[in-house]
Amino acid sequence: MPVVTIRDVAARAGVSQATASRALTGSDSVSAGAVAQVQAAVDELGYRTNRAARSLRTHRTDTIGLLISDVRNPFFSELSYVIEQAAAEQGIAVITTNADERVERQTDSLRALTMQQVDGLIIVPQGDGALEEIPEDIPVVLLDRRVSGVDAPVMHSDNRAGSRLMIDHLIGLGHTDIALISGPQATSTGQERFAAAIERLHGHGCGPREDCLVEGDFQLASGYRAATHLLDLPQRPSAIFAGDNLMAFGALQAIRERGLRIGHDVALVSFDDADWFPLLDPPMTVISQDVHALGMRAFDTLQARMDGQDTQDVCLPVRITVRGSCGVGSTDLQARRRA
């Protein structure tokens, strides 16, 4: 089958080769009618743009880099899907890398992405160190977390409001002995969720016990270890608030290994939802983020930065999704433990 060229497209559309080329690159100098003619010719002939040649003309590769923290985390997997779908609609390819919540993996990933000459980067930062591997001429958007030393807009959910909502819910059910499994305090997300929960507990007059505050790393194993510690305390807390869904899942494993039931022997709640949380018995109460909106805002903001437009931080609201994992309150749970 002969290769269809831009010359063939121009001939079929009845325009010059230069006009056909400008129409395909989105130039404002081409009329809407000419663009429609060229697009019709492209569809009819099955023409495919030569990306390499186009990048030489436009100085763009039509690719962006996406660095996420943990591909196993449903929150980041869904974010990746949203961003990739949005990019595909614009003819942009996404190169996704996984840092595995490790700063050294982040460094390697960013180096690899910049070598691919991506047009821009969406980054979920690891830790709080400066992102030294990024050339100054590559537009950057930070996602979910902020980091010092980087002049880039941050797309994130209202972590503080989410923690306050959950603490208020637990207190309203009568829970006063609440344990926290926080995210890593080297991340802004972990810091904000933990600080807001502590502040709200003190505001209700029931500051947590020191042995009920455990720092995790947003991964399943740390949630399991933290819950093991909490469940082995002489005085077991009536409720456990995990700082993300993977740590909540790890805590659930520890609870079930001991033959305990969430909502019956101990309440368990999570910041972040997961597809399987509504399927648990009982289903888990969570703080839900608008993952679709977060991913779309990250992609749209990166496009704006690549086009030289001014951008700013975006903080999206969260909501509490109440299910059955809290029981009816701490008094009820304590009575069941005594029985």
Side-chain angles (χ1 to χ4, degrees), residues 55 65 102 104 172 189 201 208 269 286 296:
S55 68
R102 293 159 54 190
E104 63 272 19
T189 302
L201 284 169
V269 297
V286 300
M296 290 300 300

Side-chain angles (χ1 to χ4, degrees), residues 122-285:
I122 298 175
I123 300 172
V124 180
Q126 316 303 297
D128 192 33
L131 304 175
E132 299 175 351
E133 298 299 323
I134 307 174
E136 293 183 358
D137 60 342
I138 296 183
V140 173
V141 168
L142 301 183
L143 180 57
D144 185 57
R145 308 171 185 176
R146 64 182 70 253
V147 66
S148 59
V150 179
D151 182 18
V154 185
M155 310 292 110
H156 65 104
S157 298
D158 196 337
N159 293 301
R160 296 182 183 277
S163 284
R164 291 193 291 265
L165 281 171
M166 186 60 80
I167 295 300
D168 288 349
H169 176 68
L170 291 171
I171 295 293
L173 291 175
H175 293 283
T176 57
D177 190 10
I178 300 172
L180 303 178
I181 304 177
S182 78
Q185 296 304 286
T187 66
S188 63
T189 302
Q191 292 171 6
E192 290 169 2
R193 294 176 185 177
F194 179 68
I198 293 290
E199 179 183 2
R200 204 63 160 189
L201 284 169
H202 283 296
H204 284 287
C206 52
R209 293 183 279 137
E210 286 297 322
D211 57 3
C212 284
L213 304 177
V214 188
E215 181 178 351
D217 61 5
F218 285 143
Q219 295 187 324
L220 187 149
S222 70
Y224 177 86
R225 290 191 299 269
T228 298
H229 160 76
L230 295 169
L231 297 173
D232 287 344
L233 290 173
Q235 180 183 342
R236 190 173 69 219
S238 73
I240 298 174
F241 180 13
D244 87 327
N245 48 26
L246 283 185
M247 294 192 300
F249 189 52
L252 175 63
Q253 288 184 331
I255 291 169
R256 288 190 167 174
E257 280 185 7
R258 283 161 172 72
L260 304 175
R261 290 179 54 198
I262 61 172
H264 182 90
D265 302 299
V266 61
L268 178 63
V269 297
S270 169
F271 202 118
D272 284 341
D273 208 349
D275 289 341
W276 60 81
F277 282 175
L279 306 178
L280 296 174
D281 182 22
M284 194 179 301
T285 293

Side-chain angles (χ1 to χ4, degrees), residues 79 82-83 85-87 89 122 143 155 290-302 316:
L79 270 179
V82 171
I83 292 169
Q85 291 295 107
E89 291 180 2
I122 298 175
L143 180 57
M155 310 292 110
D290 191 340
V291 182
H292 183 269
L294 197 58
M296 290 300 300
R297 293 300 292 269
F299 177 72
D300 291 343
T301 301
L302 182 62
L316 295 177

Side-chain angles (χ1 to χ4, degrees), residues 32-90:
V35 170
Q37 290 174 247
V38 171
Q39 188 58 55
V42 166
D43 295 341
E44 182 180 348
L45 297 174
Y47 174 72
R48 295 292 179 267
T49 303
N50 185 322
R51 283 184 177 271
R54 182 181 176 188
S55 68
L56 290 175
R57 296 192 304 272
T58 64
H59 303 291
R60 286 194 176 184
T61 61
D62 287 337
T63 60
I64 62 173
L66 171 61
L67 172 69
I68 61 173
S69 292
D70 190 346
V71 70
R72 298 167 299 180
N73 189 318
F75 172 72
F76 292 118
S77 297
E78 183 66 18
L79 270 179
S80 299
Y81 178 79
V82 171
I83 292 169
E84 288 174 356
Q85 291 295 107
E89 291 180 2
Q90 302 294 326

Side-chain angles (χ1 to χ4, degrees), residues 90-139:
Q90 302 294 326
I92 296 174
V94 181
I95 303 174
T96 304
T97 58
N98 174 43
D100 198 30
E101 296 288 359
R102 293 159 54 190
V103 174
E104 63 272 19
R105 286 284 296 274
Q106 171 178 269
T107 300
D108 294 339
S109 294
L110 290 176
R111 185 180 297 116
L113 289 172
T114 55
M115 289 179 64
Q116 294 294 322
Q117 297 182 319
V118 294
D119 297 326
L121 289 166
I122 298 175
I123 300 172
V124 180
Q126 316 303 297
D128 192 33
L131 304 175
E132 299 175 351
E133 298 299 323
I134 307 174
E136 293 183 358
D137 60 342
I138 296 183

